[in-house]
Amino acid sequence: MGESSRKKNKPVIGITIGDINGIGPEVIIKSLEDNRILKQFTPVIYGSGKVISYYRKALDKESFNYQQISSIDKVAHNKVNVLNVWDETIEINPGQANETGGKYAVLSLQKAVADLKEEKIDAIVTAPLAKDLVQSDDFKFPGHTEYLTQEAGESDSLMFLVHDALRVGVVTGHIPLKDVSDKVTKEKIVTKLQKMIKSLQKDFGIKKPRVAVLGLNPHAGENGLLGDEEEKVIVPAIDEVKKGHNIVAGPFPADGFFGMRSYKQYDGVLAMYHDQGLIPFKTMAFEEGVNYTAGLPFVRTSPDHGTAFAIAGKGEADETSFRNALYLANDVIRQRKENHFESDDEK
């Protein structure tokens, strides 16, 4: 990244606007309206000044100031930047799920990722989009995570939900439940565990992380009575990662593990599938937790909620998760610099 985009090593964080008819623009504005945030990093919203202006007026946030730029090379420090990815005026319909919202969410994401890959920005924080509305011949991904993993040139990444000391990753993400058992393989678990451990070390500064692994079946299989994936797949994966002198425990029955607050004894928890990890996480941390994509050469975070069309444009959205996503991105950038990790080390 050139000196023109740097100011006293202050990070430049790109923000994708998400679905313009969802709560993305609202939580972005609410998160950035406190100017104190500008002392820590320089935010760049990838979208349209017209969209931000619409929501600023609709939300009665007239004191929210920003500078419009046409290129990341013209970024203004100590200000909120809005990079105009498109110039045309588009119809904004808060709360309506339509093709327009999906189309422009993708345009915002693609432009931000292009700048990210060229190291013109230090991180990306993605506002929510509707997965079904972004599908096209040019964009066939279940969500942000899968797209960003491909763009990073990686074969895999880790969906990592973070809130204070609670960090939950998943082996399988956005796939049907009926496919989970076949996708939970020894190789997949080993990969996810290694990415979690490495992320805890270099992104969170935990030198010797303690990681817990959940079982797939009720009661973690009950010694084979309720399923054999634990004995045949999960335990061998844990044993292999342990050979690298890593602290890994399990497999634990998921219900008891969370019910007894056992997660407090660990730096990270690896769940086998999406809802197994995200239901307890969101029960404890919804509106505060952050979705972090671990295992990529660049930093990406997002709020742990979706587009919330039902409340879009009403001023009711809670921006805490999005603000926390910004702060986590900033923290990880700084942690990586302190650890002197280079992008190539992650591959």
Side-chain angles (χ1 to χ4, degrees):
M1 189 182 293
E3 286 301 315
S4 62
S5 294
R6 283 280 194 262
K7 185 171 182 181
K8 297 179 181 177
N9 294 319
K10 190 166 66 168
V12 178
I13 297 181
I15 299 167
T16 62
I17 202 164
D19 194 305
I20 59 167
N21 296 318
I23 63 170
E26 178 179 338
V27 295
I28 291 170
I29 290 172
K30 286 180 174 179
S31 295
L32 297 177
E33 64 179 332
D34 186 341
N35 287 335
R36 288 176 296 182
I37 208 167
L38 299 176
K39 294 179 180 178
Q40 299 195 41
F41 57 85
T42 299
V44 180
I45 303 168
Y46 284 76
S48 161
K50 294 173 183 176
V51 174
I52 298 300
S53 177
Y54 171 92
Y55 277 100
R56 182 175 75 162
K57 184 175 181 180
L59 300 168
D60 195 22
K61 298 288 184 182
E62 299 295 341
S63 61
F64 175 69
N65 296 312
Y66 56 91
Q67 173 160 316
Q68 297 190 56
I69 56 175
S70 57
S71 164
I72 191 61
D73 297 324
K74 298 178 181 179
V75 65
H77 293 279
N78 298 321
K79 291 183 180 179
V80 175
N81 296 259
V82 176
L83 194 155
N84 285 306
V85 179
W86 62 88
D87 294 319
E88 64 267 28
T89 300
I90 56 178
E91 189 174 352
I92 303 170
N93 297 288
Q96 289 189 24
N98 59 36
E99 292 181 358
T100 299
K103 173 185 175 181
Y104 288 95
V106 171
L107 288 175
S108 168
L109 177 63
Q110 289 173 332
K111 177 59 177 171
V113 170
D115 285 347
L116 186 65
K117 288 166 69 174
E118 291 184 14
E119 298 185 358
K120 292 185 175 182
I121 56 178
D122 293 288
I124 185 174
V125 179
T126 57
L129 49 72
K131 296 176 178 62
D132 58 324
L133 297 177
V134 298
Q135 304 302 319
S136 70
D137 291 339
D138 299 324
F139 194 93
K140 297 179 179 179
F141 299 92
H144 282 114
T145 303
E146 294 81 4
Y147 171 70
L148 290 164
T149 302
Q150 176 177 297
E151 288 297 303
E154 298 287 339
S155 59
D156 207 349
S157 62
L158 175 71
M159 185 177 179
F160 209 8
L161 282 296
V162 177
H163 178 253
D164 294 338
L166 175 62
R167 306 180 190 90
V168 180
V170 293
V171 175
T172 59
H174 299 123
I175 64 171
L177 188 58
K178 64 182 175 62
D179 297 338
V180 167
S181 182
D182 289 340
K183 297 290 185 182
V184 173
T185 63
K186 177 187 173 184
E187 294 74 22
K188 191 85 165 174
I189 296 169
V190 168
T191 297
K192 299 292 186 180
L193 274 173
Q194 289 173 337
K195 287 188 177 296
M196 180 179 287
I197 290 166
K198 191 166 187 178
S199 178
L200 289 168
Q201 290 171 332
K202 85 176 187 310
D203 299 334
F204 296 90
I206 302 168
K207 292 183 179 179
K208 196 70 176 173
R210 295 172 55 86
V211 174
V213 179
L214 303 181
L216 173 65
N217 299 292
H219 301 182
E222 198 78 74
N223 296 318
L225 180 66
L226 304 177
D228 60 6
E229 286 89 350
E230 284 75 16
E231 294 179 1
K232 291 185 176 180
V233 178
I234 301 176
V235 169
I238 292 172
D239 289 343
E240 181 168 325
V241 176
K242 275 179 164 180
K243 291 177 184 177
H245 304 289
N246 298 300
I247 304 171
V248 186
F252 296 103
D255 55 350
F257 182 84
F258 286 107
M260 295 172 66
R261 307 287 193 272
S262 300
Y263 59 85
K264 293 183 177 181
Q265 301 169 29
Y266 297 91
D267 301 299
V269 180
L270 185 65
M272 292 298 112
Y273 57 94
H274 185 281
D275 284 12
Q276 183 188 50
L278 269 68
I279 288 175
F281 181 86
K282 290 191 176 184
T283 299
M284 290 181 272
F286 196 60
E287 294 186 335
E288 293 185 356
V290 177
N291 178 13
Y292 174 57
T293 306
L296 299 182
F298 48 70
V299 178
R300 180 263 174 154
T301 66
S302 73
D304 69 352
H305 57 69
T307 51
F309 288 122
I311 62 169
K314 298 180 179 179
E316 298 174 7
D318 188 317
E319 74 278 12
T320 308
S321 180
F322 196 88
R323 184 186 294 117
N324 287 347
L326 288 166
Y327 282 129
L328 178 62
N330 186 51
D331 288 345
V332 174
I333 292 165
R334 295 179 185 279
Q335 186 66 52
R336 287 190 179 189
K337 286 178 180 176
E338 286 178 16
N339 288 346
H340 302 293
F341 272 85
E342 297 295 333
S343 296
D344 290 341
D345 291 342
E346 298 187 38
K347 298 180 180 179

